[in-house]
Amino acid sequence: MQTNFKTVKKLSIFLLIAFFATTVKAQEIDLLLKGGHVIDAKNKINGKMDLAVKDGKVYRVAADIPASSAKKTVNVSGLYVTPGLLDIHGHVFHGTETNYLSNSLDALPPDGFTFRAGVTTVVDAGGAGWKNIDLFRKNVVDQSKTRVLAFMNIVGGGMRGTEAYEQDETDMDAKLTGAIALKNKDIVVGIKLAHYIGHNWKPTDKAVEAGRIASIPVMVDFGKSLPPLPLEDLLLKHLRPGDILTHAYRYDQEFDRNGKMIEHKQAIVDVKTKKVKPFVWEARKKGLIFDVGHGGGSFNWSQAVPAMEQGFHPDVLSSDLHTGSMNAGFKDMANLASKFLVLGMPLADVIAASTWNPAKVIQRTELGNLSEGSEADIAVFRLREGDFGYIDASGMALRGKQKLEAELTLRSGRVVWDLNALSAPLAK
């Protein structure tokens, strides 16, 4: 009898250990997002799926993954699950200097303005040049939870101010810029030219040469030259396939000395006929990239509405985030995405233009998707229905019935934004 009792006791302990071992093995998933509608342009997914995360990576995307296989399950039914948004035009080289957007007070620390809008990667657009890219890396890239990359300015000193620094052609060295970009290829994804007011193409051609040396695209903020340089020549004669025109919907109209409205040479939509200009279509066919770059003064309904009606959709949505834009017509990337929903762009296309498209543009195709084994940078959005208003750079409003709101953001598998405590346990 004693022997049988000991045998039963040993067997019970063995079964208990086996049960716990099996349970632990069964719970191989760290986090399960269950019941959501997954949109992943790279993998052509647009439907109800569960998404499993393990060790900071996307482990599995499939229908009906058992909750018992996960250590933690978050119910995202009725919500949209997407790759973390990739914003290729922000200004995050924040610091304490009083110049424009290079180590300055006008640029923003990324973590406070990315995750809350579903953004997990932001590209600083020209704040740093070759002279201060190391400082940018040390103070911003290395200190941020957000993944931070850079378009390096063709101006060696970076985006320190339109009136002086950004007009200094002697500080525009294509070979040196290209070489330093290659040296920092882990974070430098392109070359930036902005705010040049001279009436010549030398800075543009230097930026393109630097891009050629480093095999990366060039982003151009165009239209400040006096007298104006023709946009048609920029797109068809100077830029290469894969290069980027940012602020694509910025310019509207201008007036002559007598107050008569005349065509703005940098507008993509003719202000009189309201038609997308033929050379713009030709540039798209050539492979030029058209980026929104909303900002505080670079997006007008008068350009965007007719362009969208004619099927000229942006390739990429981006913010032009800085202190002058976040409290103006541009709010955040979720608000910008909502504007294009209101303009008739399908939700799947809006997400693609905020994730997979920009990843391809900056040649970082490991980003912007939910492929198994990829970094678990994930956004979860609620698509709200109601009466909403959206403002452009001129202060004009457009009403809409839909609005995207970031509910949950994961960076490398960790929850970094949770608007309504979806992932948090209930208080007892």
Side-chain angles (χ1 to χ4, degrees):
M1 191 70 169
Q2 183 71 21
T3 302
N4 288 341
F5 176 76
K6 288 182 177 180
T7 301
V8 171
K9 185 177 181 181
K10 288 179 179 179
L11 181 60
S12 299
I13 293 173
F14 172 79
L15 291 173
L16 191 61
I17 293 172
F19 170 77
F20 281 114
T22 302
T23 301
V24 170
K25 185 176 181 180
Q27 292 180 325
E28 59 185 348
I29 296 168
D30 295 326
L31 179 66
L32 178 63
L33 300 178
K34 191 159 186 62
H37 184 119
V38 176
I39 301 177
D40 177 6
K42 178 184 178 181
N43 295 296
K44 297 179 173 58
I45 299 173
N46 186 3
K48 188 173 180 180
M49 293 275 183
D50 296 342
L51 190 154
V53 175
K54 180 181 179 181
D55 298 329
K57 306 288 185 181
V58 175
Y59 180 66
R60 191 180 174 203
V61 180
D64 298 321
I65 299 174
S68 59
S69 64
K71 298 173 186 175
K72 184 172 186 175
T73 299
V74 179
N75 181 6
V76 292
S77 297
L79 306 179
Y80 290 91
V81 179
T82 78
L85 304 191
L86 201 171
D87 178 5
I88 68 166
H89 186 155
H91 292 287
V92 295
F93 190 1
H94 65 290
T96 57
E97 295 184 12
T98 55
N99 62 55
Y100 189 34
L101 292 169
S102 182
N103 193 28
S104 81
L105 293 166
D106 287 335
L108 293 168
D111 293 347
F113 302 90
T114 50
F115 299 142
R116 62 182 52 239
V119 176
T120 53
T121 300
V122 63
V123 185
D124 183 82
W130 70 265
K131 291 179 179 177
N132 53 3
I133 190 69
D134 289 342
L135 182 66
F136 174 74
R137 179 191 289 273
K138 176 184 175 182
N139 287 0
V140 181
V141 177
D142 293 347
Q143 305 302 322
S144 301
K145 293 179 181 178
T146 309
R147 180 187 292 100
V148 179
L149 305 171
F151 277 90
M152 204 167 76
N153 208 307
I154 187 62
V155 180
M159 198 173 285
R160 298 179 65 191
T162 301
E163 296 303 321
Y165 299 102
E166 293 175 76
Q167 309 310 315
D168 186 0
E169 291 185 45
T170 65
D171 198 24
M172 301 178 189
D173 188 317
K175 291 182 179 179
L176 191 52
T177 299
I180 299 300
L182 281 171
K183 183 181 177 182
N184 292 274
K185 62 183 180 181
D186 60 321
I187 63 168
V188 175
V189 297
I191 306 298
K192 177 75 181 292
L193 171 66
H195 309 147
Y196 183 67
I197 63 175
H199 188 71
N200 72 82
W201 293 105
K202 290 180 182 178
T204 302
D205 294 338
K206 286 181 179 181
V208 171
E209 175 63 11
R212 186 196 63 77
I213 291 169
S215 298
I216 50 181
V218 171
M219 175 185 283
V220 179
D221 173 351
F222 189 68
K224 300 293 185 182
S225 298
L226 296 171
L229 292 167
L231 178 62
E232 182 174 4
D233 286 358
L234 174 75
L235 298 178
L236 300 183
K237 296 181 180 179
H238 293 272
L239 297 185
R240 309 160 296 166
D243 287 339
I244 308 153
L245 177 70
T246 193
H247 307 313
Y249 304 99
R250 170 168 56 187
Y251 292 105
D252 180 21
Q253 60 192 35
E254 60 183 357
F255 298 86
D256 64 17
R257 293 178 180 178
N258 298 316
K260 182 180 178 182
M261 186 181 75
I262 58 175
E263 177 185 8
H264 198 298
K265 291 180 174 61
Q266 277 68 51
I268 66 168
V269 173
D270 187 297
V271 298
K272 295 178 181 178
T273 67
K274 296 298 180 183
K275 298 293 185 183
V276 176
K277 296 174 181 177
F279 71 81
V280 174
W281 291 108
E282 187 178 347
R284 166 156 285 175
K285 187 176 180 180
K286 174 184 171 181
L288 271 292
I289 304 299
F290 291 85
D291 167 46
V292 173
H294 188 297
S298 299
F299 179 84
N300 282 296
W301 295 124
S302 57
Q303 285 283 301
V305 171
M308 292 293 291
E309 288 175 346
Q310 294 163 62
F312 195 87
H313 295 189
D315 297 294
V316 178
L317 305 187
S318 74
S319 68
D320 189 19
L321 177 70
H322 52 77
T323 58
S325 64
M326 64 182 187
N327 294 324
F330 173 78
K331 303 297 187 294
D332 56 35
M333 280 289 286
N335 190 272
L336 176 59
S338 302
K339 286 183 176 180
F340 278 89
L341 282 178
V342 170
L343 288 172
M345 197 169 175
L347 178 58
D349 292 351
V350 168
I351 297 302
S354 309
T355 55
W356 181 233
N357 288 3
K360 291 187 291 183
V361 167
I362 64 171
Q363 303 171 15
R364 293 297 177 94
T365 52
E366 73 276 13
L367 305 177
N369 66 83
L370 298 173
S371 300
E372 292 183 5
S374 64
E375 194 95 357
D377 291 352
I378 302 165
V380 179
F381 292 99
R382 185 182 302 279
L383 183 56
R384 295 176 57 195
E385 301 288 338
D387 182 19
F388 306 104
Y390 300 98
I391 308 172
D392 72 356
S394 71
M396 301 300 290
L398 199 68
R399 308 305 299 184
K401 299 298 183 183
Q402 293 182 310
K403 182 179 182 180
L404 278 173
E405 194 170 68
E407 283 282 354
L408 197 69
T409 307
L410 278 68
R411 172 76 173 96
S412 297
R414 295 183 59 194
V415 174
V416 289
W417 169 254
D418 190 346
L419 180 64
N420 287 299
L422 294 180
S423 67
L426 290 174
K428 297 180 180 179

